Amino acid sequence: TQNKSSNLLFFAFLVILFPKNRLCVFARFSFYCYFCRKYFTLSLKVDLYMSEKIRIKDIAEKSGVSVGTVDRVLHNRPNVSKSAREKVEAVLKNINYQPNMYASALAYNKSYTFYCIIPQHKSEAYWEEIEEGAAKACEARRDFHIDVKMMYYKRFDPSTFIREYTKCLNANPNGVIVVPSDLETTKGFTEKLHERGIPFILLDSYMPDLKPLSFYGQDSFCSGYFAAKMLMLIASGEKEIMLMKQTKNGKVESKQQDNREVGFRHYMQDHFPQTKIIELDLPLDEDENNYDSILENFFTSNPHIHHCITLCSKGHIVGEFLLKTNRRDVQIMGYDMVEKNAKCLRLGTISFLIAQHAFMQGYNCVDTLFKAIVLKKKVDPVNYMPIELLSKENVDFYRRTQL
């Protein structure tokens, strides 16, 4: 800075003593460039400052409308004529107006409670990762006083779902995340949410007729189709494969599993119609101690089966049985990166796992409610999660909590 000042004083001295000298012409030009640069830099800073500090009153004057009209447009409130709205929006676009919603939300100092209704589960399950992700999102937004309360219902028991959602409605939450029960039971809940103006997100199973704010989960048909394609890369020469299910009263746990099976069978019919699919049911209401005898009977009766698949997260049940009985020529493909599945994958009784990034789903559901409710932002209505294939070789590089 000192050198620049010295140079400018030297050039000024030359201009005074030798006004017609060529060197002085250069000096004048240097002065001109220097002051132009300073002027435009200053001008740019002022413009940026003004755009950051622009007031509703300024927007109203530019639009030719009242301050109240501008306020209603900015907050997307009713009672604004079409022409007035167009004028205000044109000015907002022209000045590239970007409201600081974070500052506004912090200034309100309001607290927000979201309810998350999911199935009851055991530890080390897919749903546990959903909870961890939701808790992480709360921590990330703690300055905005976000709280998430977990509620649990029993699969195949609609009365428990109704009981929990009644408690939820009585609490009058700001937003809801829900893993659907059956369509009709879930619809009874979501209709009440719509009546009260409470936004909700569907998790795991997509039911577009319920008109959620957003959805997070895999495209279950594509996931099942992809699973079949990966399985048949290693089982293309097999005449028979086993499809393991867990059902109660003939039904699997979720609509998502149903759709996966549709995708799975669609691929098999198109590309391997000659391969026989033999189903094995490990009933959900059966004592788990009896699973080994069911599996022993199956593999004894079907000695030619070497490749299996399940479309739920319980592939480890078969994987652990194969380890205990030393059946090294049989593998099962499954879903979800829970620790028991990962162990079987490393030991070779599970061939592949399809990961759904449950932690990411839990985090994103809470964060989406935050953006929509607190920041008043538009959110994507459908968010399909990646269909990620894990093998023995890459399982240790899977980042379970990566966002």
Side-chain angles (χ1 to χ4, degrees), residues 34-48:
Y34 175 78
F35 285 113
C36 281
R37 185 179 64 184
K38 284 292 183 182
Y39 170 78
F40 285 119
T41 302
L42 178 62
S43 177
L44 178 60
K45 287 180 178 178
V46 170
D47 286 345
L48 288 173

Side-chain angles (χ1 to χ4, degrees), residues 108-255:
Y108 283 131
N109 198 30
K110 183 180 176 182
S111 60
Y112 302 86
T113 302
F114 304 148
Y115 274 64
C116 184
I117 306 177
I118 65 175
Q120 286 183 354
H121 58 84
K122 298 179 181 178
S123 62
E124 293 188 359
Y126 164 79
W127 302 110
E128 193 171 64
E129 292 193 15
I130 296 281
E131 292 189 58
E132 290 174 10
K136 183 66 176 179
C138 279
E139 181 185 340
R141 304 299 188 184
R142 61 183 177 275
D143 290 343
F144 295 89
H145 312 292
I146 304 295
D147 184 33
V148 174
K149 297 188 180 297
M150 305 302 301
M151 307 184 81
Y152 308 94
Y153 67 94
K154 293 180 180 178
R155 291 284 201 185
F156 306 107
D157 187 351
S159 66
T160 63
F161 184 81
I162 294 170
R163 181 191 68 209
E164 294 307 309
Y165 84 58
T166 301
K167 292 179 184 176
C168 173
L169 290 170
N170 290 338
N172 196 31
N174 299 101
V176 173
I177 301 161
V178 58
V179 176
S181 178
D182 64 89
L183 178 59
E184 286 307 309
T185 305
T186 308
K187 189 176 181 180
F189 178 36
T190 58
E191 284 180 346
K192 291 180 174 66
L193 291 174
H194 281 302
E195 288 171 5
R196 299 185 183 198
I198 300 174
F200 65 92
I201 292 176
L202 291 183
L203 175 62
D204 192 59
S205 296
Y206 188 33
M207 297 179 179
D209 292 346
L210 302 182
K211 299 178 181 178
L213 169 71
S214 190
F215 162 75
Y216 279 91
Q218 283 186 345
D219 183 320
S220 47
F221 177 90
C222 288
S223 178
Y225 193 93
F226 175 78
K229 188 173 184 177
M230 294 301 100
L231 175 67
M232 298 314 288
L233 289 177
I234 57 175
S236 59
E238 301 294 313
K239 293 182 179 179
E240 299 175 336
I241 59 172
M242 181 260 272
L243 171 61
M244 188 273 275
K245 293 184 175 183
Q246 286 205 288
T247 69
K248 184 174 182 179
N249 300 323
K251 295 181 179 179
V252 293
E253 286 189 297
S254 68
K255 185 175 183 289

Side-chain angles (χ1 to χ4, degrees), residues 26-37:
F26 171 74
R28 286 193 188 96
F29 179 73
S30 298
F31 269 119
Y32 175 78
C33 290
Y34 175 78
F35 285 113
C36 281
R37 185 179 64 184

